[in-house]
Structures are given as structure tokens and as C-alpha cells.
Amino acid sequence: MNTVIIGTGYVGLTTGVALAYVGHDVTAVDIDPSIVDRLSRGEATIHEPGLEELLHLAQDRLTFTTELPDLSGETVVVIAVGTPPKENGDADMAYVDVAARQIAERIQPGANLVVVNKSTVPIGSARHVEGIVRRTLRERGVEATVAVASNPEFLAEGRAVRDSLYPDRIVVGSDDEAAVEVLRRLYAPLLEQAFEPPPGVPRPDRMPLPPLITTTATSAELTKYAANSFLATKISFINEFAGLAERVGADVTQVARAIGLDDRIGTRFLHAGIGWGGSCFGKDTRAILATAEGYDFPMPVVQAAVDVNYQQRVRIVEKLQEHLKVLRGTTIGILGLAFKGDTDDLRDAPALTLIEVLQERGAQVRVHDPVAMDNAQALEPPLDVTYATDPLDLADGCDAIVVATDWDVYRQLPLDDVAAAMRGRVLVDARNLLDPDAVRARQLRYVGVGR
Ligand code: UDX
């Protein structure tokens, strides 16, 4: 099926490459010529396990371009541009609006088009996009069949290829039955899992076939916010219990495991730590709170998840304060900058809050990340930190070290050498990643979260 994707960020690129891999002809459009250039050469522009390999496997069916092509015949156009937060938390629709107008300008007479909103957009956006397309078509005097559907994505960074190829479910929201049928055909290879898994990203064992959930456009739009708000709340919930566990002398990792095995609760997203970050949870919780405010409807549960999350970051600094007493003049090493392991993404990364608060309190900061260092060095304004070449270099002269990102490589820290290189003895495991006994065996003081 002829498919055009507008925007080659995490969502657009992964979706485009996955759809091409399962057999569709995909044209992916981005305004940035250097991104288009790199992708055309087969180079992945984001750090995502398995993506570059899939790009190569699917390259015959993939075209990257800066120019939206003419849209004729039966075509699915997926809008996957950014919707950054505005000052009040609302999602900014400026790029979506531009994409909708460009689509309408390219539609050829007689075309049969399904426009898909994949970007996370405010409630009512499907109708909004449809309005823009129809008005522009009228102005141009072009007759074509156009339907708009909301089709939220649930892919998580670091496992985006896997989530795209092996989704739990696919949600399509539209009042137009014909559009739903077109999307059912687009997603048929995923719904039926009728493709050979790529070598690097095997199909999960005993994976059930993902259902296609069809809803109204509004329900699909709300589903995305509800999913992310729920996951964010689940993490804040366990972080709140981590705080209490520290006071009563319990181990939150044991509590999480014990409650998680109740299948009504589930073990995932119960990992206590420094709190959530990334491009979605913070943005989407703020956006849904702004939407709710517009309807004069308070959402205290979501609000509490946001508040607890910020406090969780500050608590890590308080732990350092508690053990080092005076932070001014100390050197603190931060292991991990990315908002979570397996990504180079720094958006709303807890480590950045840590750096900011530590510097406010007069500490010097050394940092290391196995993948996100280039992105960190490109930040504006620049971070006033020392970049270490590896964890051992980071440890040099540190009064304390904080593990801020759950990178696998940090699980195997060379603890003997790290302990020898440090000036102080405090190791704050803000991700509960390390074995406390192994740390203590090196005469380091182990400080976890809720354990
Ligand atoms: C999330 C959603 O999972 C995905 O479905 C949606 O489409 C986009 O937002 P992402 O932001 O990539 O994906 O990462 P995710 O794995 O969900 O983690 C979000 C944050 O929560 C990270 O900072 C992570 O470290 C943190 N986290 C996650 C925890 O602190 N504890 C957990 O148990 C799980």
C-alpha cells in the first residue's frame, strides 16, 4: 500500500521503516535535508536498537525526501511531526497544521486518502485536521475522498522497533468505516504477524496476535493520554512507597515484586528510582492536565503523579546532602545522562535536573553516558560539567557517584577500581541497579531508593 509519513523523529522513522519492512511502499518526508541525506544513505539518525539493520533490509521500499510528493490514488498519509508543549502545557499543533495544509495542497483530483494522526495531539485534533484539509481542497477546487483517523503509537524508546513490529494492540479511531478498513489492510501484516522477523529483533515467544481496537477519533486520542498518564502514575506510586519503605525499613524492590505478581497489578513499570523522564510522560501528563483545566475538570491523581515525580529527583540530591552534609565544594559524578537506558535521548532527563540542583548547591559535576554524550555536549546553553571518558575516569576524585540512568553497562561497574579512584565513599544507586552487598564489600556506602 502506498504510504507517506511526514516527520522522521522516533515515531515517524520507526513506523515508516517497520511498515516498509512488512511490505508497504513508504515515502518518508522530513524538512531537514541532512536527516534525509543520512537516512537515504542507510544511516539511522536516532539511536534505536535494530533500526539501522531494518532500514537496510527495507531500503528497496523506502524513499526519503524533503518534498511531500503528489498524493493520488489510494494513499495513507501519516502525520508524525512533533507536538512540543506550549507554555501552559497544551500540545503545540503548529507543525501538525502545516502538515495538514501541505497534504491538502498535494492531493490530486480523484485521490482516495486516509490521513492518520500519529503524533500525540490534543482531543479533537482529528476533526481539526480534517477541517484544514477540506478548507484547502475547497479553495483549490479539487474533489477527492479524504478521511482522517487517529492512530496513537505506544512505542517506547529503546524498544521502538520491537514495539512497532510486535505491538500489544493497534488503536484506530475514526468515524469513517472505509478509512478503518484501509488501515486494517495497512496493518494486516502486523495484525496477522505475517512476516519473517528480522534477525536482530525476534518475535517474542508465544506472542498473541495483536487486536485492532476501533474507536471514535476522540476515544483514540484520549487513549494515548490515558495510557501514558497511567504508566507515569504507576511509577510515581511505587516511588511514593519507596519513600515510606525507607522510613519504616522495608525494601521496595521486594514489595514491588510481591504486588506485581498479582496479575491485576503486573510487574512492569514498578521499578522505583529517580522518577520518570523522556519525551512523553512529562509532556503528555501536562497536556492532559491543561485539557482537563479547559473543561474545568480537576485531575488530582495525574497532578499528584507529576508532583511526586519532581520530588523524586530532588530527593536524590537530598540523599547526597544527608551523607555528604555540605555539598558546596564537593565533586559529584553522575553515571548516565539519557532519560533511560538504551537511548541517546535527553528530553526531560532526570540527570539534567540533578545537575541543575547540584550546581545550585555549589557542587562540581562530572558526567558520563555510554551513548548520549554527543547530545549532551550539543545542549544549549552548554552544561557546565566535566565529561568523563568512562565510568572509571568519572570516579576520579569524586566525593559521591550517582547512577542516574539504567544502562546495562553500569550493572557491571568495575567496583574495585571505581572505589579506589573516588575521594569519598558514597554511591547513590538512583535506579536500584546494583547489588548493595557488592558495593558495600568495597567499603562504599550504598544508598538506593526505597531499599
Ligand atoms: C513512553 C511509553 O512507554 C510509550 O508507550 C509511549 O509511546 C511514549 O512514552 P518512553 O518515554 O520511551 O515511552 O519510555 P518508558 O520506557 O515508558 O520510560 C519512561 C520513563 O519512566 C523513563 O525515564 C524510565 O526510566 C522510567 N521508568 C520506567 C521508571 O522509572 N520505572 C519503571 O518501572 C519504568
Side-chain angles (χ1 to χ4, degrees):
M1 188 174 289
N2 196 17
T3 308
V4 177
I5 309 235
I6 306 180
T8 60
Y10 276 96
V11 174
L13 181 58
T14 318
T15 306
V17 173
L19 287 174
Y21 178 75
V22 301
H24 299 296
D25 291 314
V26 176
T27 304
V29 187
D30 202 290
I31 46 167
D32 186 333
S34 68
I35 289 184
V36 167
D37 223 44
R38 287 172 60 195
L39 291 170
S40 303
R41 277 188 271 123
E43 193 187 317
T45 42
I46 52 175
H47 175 85
E48 197 57 59
L51 184 62
E52 196 158 279
E53 191 184 14
L54 208 65
L55 192 63
H56 294 161
L57 292 170
Q59 65 186 8
D60 292 349
R61 285 188 290 272
L62 270 169
T63 310
F64 295 100
T65 169
T66 51
E67 284 294 316
L68 184 66
D70 282 347
L71 303 166
S72 54
E74 184 183 75
T75 303
V76 175
V77 187
V78 180
I79 301 180
V81 296
T83 48
K86 292 195 288 196
E87 197 83 329
N88 69 348
D90 265 340
D92 187 344
M93 288 286 282
Y95 299 118
V96 175
D97 291 1
V98 170
R101 263 193 301 279
Q102 284 174 343
I103 290 169
E105 276 155 17
R106 290 292 184 183
I107 295 177
Q108 302 302 301
N112 179 7
L113 219 72
V114 179
V115 179
V116 173
N117 269 348
K118 211 175 234 320
S119 303
T120 301
V121 286
I123 311 299
S125 293
R127 212 177 303 159
H128 171 80
V129 165
E130 191 168 335
I132 295 178
V133 175
R134 290 205 190 289
R135 271 196 303 281
T136 314
L137 279 181
R138 251 200 318 276
E139 282 161 24
R140 290 180 54 214
V142 168
E143 296 275 341
T145 309
V146 180
V148 178
S150 163
N151 171 215
E153 53 75 26
F154 303 100
L155 51 89
E157 288 178 26
R159 44 179 286 152
V161 172
R162 183 195 147 122
D163 288 346
S164 300
L165 292 176
Y166 314 118
D168 295 329
R169 76 300 203 189
I170 294 175
V171 178
V172 168
S174 178
D175 308 323
D176 186 310
E177 271 175 38
V180 174
E181 283 320 304
V182 171
L183 294 181
R184 194 189 296 278
R185 272 191 284 131
L186 179 76
Y187 286 120
L190 299 176
L191 295 169
E192 293 154 16
Q193 289 292 299
F195 60 91
E196 198 55 44
V201 191
R203 182 173 288 131
D205 280 347
R206 292 190 295 277
M207 176 197 164
L209 290 183
L212 180 78
I213 314 280
T214 56
T215 68
T216 62
T218 311
S219 297
E221 287 162 353
L222 192 59
T223 298
K224 170 71 192 206
Y225 287 107
N228 277 348
S229 301
F230 185 86
L231 293 171
T233 304
K234 196 172 176 190
I235 299 168
S236 284
F237 174 89
I238 201 66
N239 281 333
E240 187 168 277
F241 268 82
L244 186 61
E246 284 171 13
R247 279 153 190 82
V248 301
D251 182 338
V252 78
T253 61
Q254 293 175 353
V255 176
R257 181 168 152 72
I259 63 169
L261 289 173
D262 180 332
D263 65 11
R264 293 170 299 178
I265 297 175
T267 48
R268 295 179 64 196
F269 282 72
L270 277 183
H271 200 87
I274 194 171
W276 41 262
S279 66
C280 286
F281 286 179
K283 177 167 88 80
D284 292 354
T285 46
R286 279 180 69 204
I288 203 63
L289 286 169
T291 299
E293 200 180 310
Y295 287 86
D296 207 9
F297 182 77
M299 295 186 84
V301 174
V302 179
Q303 184 62 56
V306 173
D307 296 342
V308 166
N309 193 58
Y310 182 72
Q311 277 316 314
Q312 200 65 13
R313 297 180 180 188
V314 175
R315 257 196 206 130
I316 299 299
V317 179
E318 284 165 1
K319 283 174 190 285
L320 285 167
Q321 184 107 48
E322 193 185 313
H323 291 278
L324 297 175
K325 307 301 175 200
V326 182
L327 284 178
R328 185 162 303 282
T330 57
T331 301
I332 312 294
I334 297 184
L335 281 175
L337 293 167
F339 79 91
K340 65 172 187 179
D342 269 342
T343 175
D344 62 353
D345 198 335
L346 293 169
R347 286 177 288 178
D348 198 18
L352 299 181
T353 307
L354 217 55
I355 293 172
E356 191 184 310
V357 180
L358 282 171
Q359 286 176 335
E360 273 166 22
R361 301 194 188 181
Q364 303 283 321
V365 180
R366 296 172 69 77
V367 299
H368 172 263
D369 190 286
V371 174
M373 295 272 260
D374 288 348
N375 284 351
Q377 275 160 317
L379 285 178
E380 281 299 335
L383 296 177
D384 181 17
V385 296
T386 306
Y387 291 93
T389 48
D390 55 45
L392 198 53
D393 177 35
L394 177 110
D396 189 25
C398 279
D399 294 287
I401 289 181
V402 182
V403 180
T405 306
D406 49 347
W407 279 108
D408 257 344
V409 287
Y410 295 156
R411 287 177 211 274
Q412 280 100 40
L413 279 182
L415 285 172
D416 287 321
D417 299 337
V418 165
M422 287 176 70
R423 179 165 68 188
R425 306 262 43 100
V426 179
L427 199 153
V428 178
D429 183 6
R431 294 284 188 167
N432 288 345
L433 206 66
L434 305 172
D435 172 7
D437 291 335
V439 174
R440 289 189 196 110
R442 272 72 181 199
Q443 273 66 54
L444 291 175
R445 195 178 301 168
Y446 178 87
V447 185
V449 178
R451 63 201 302 217

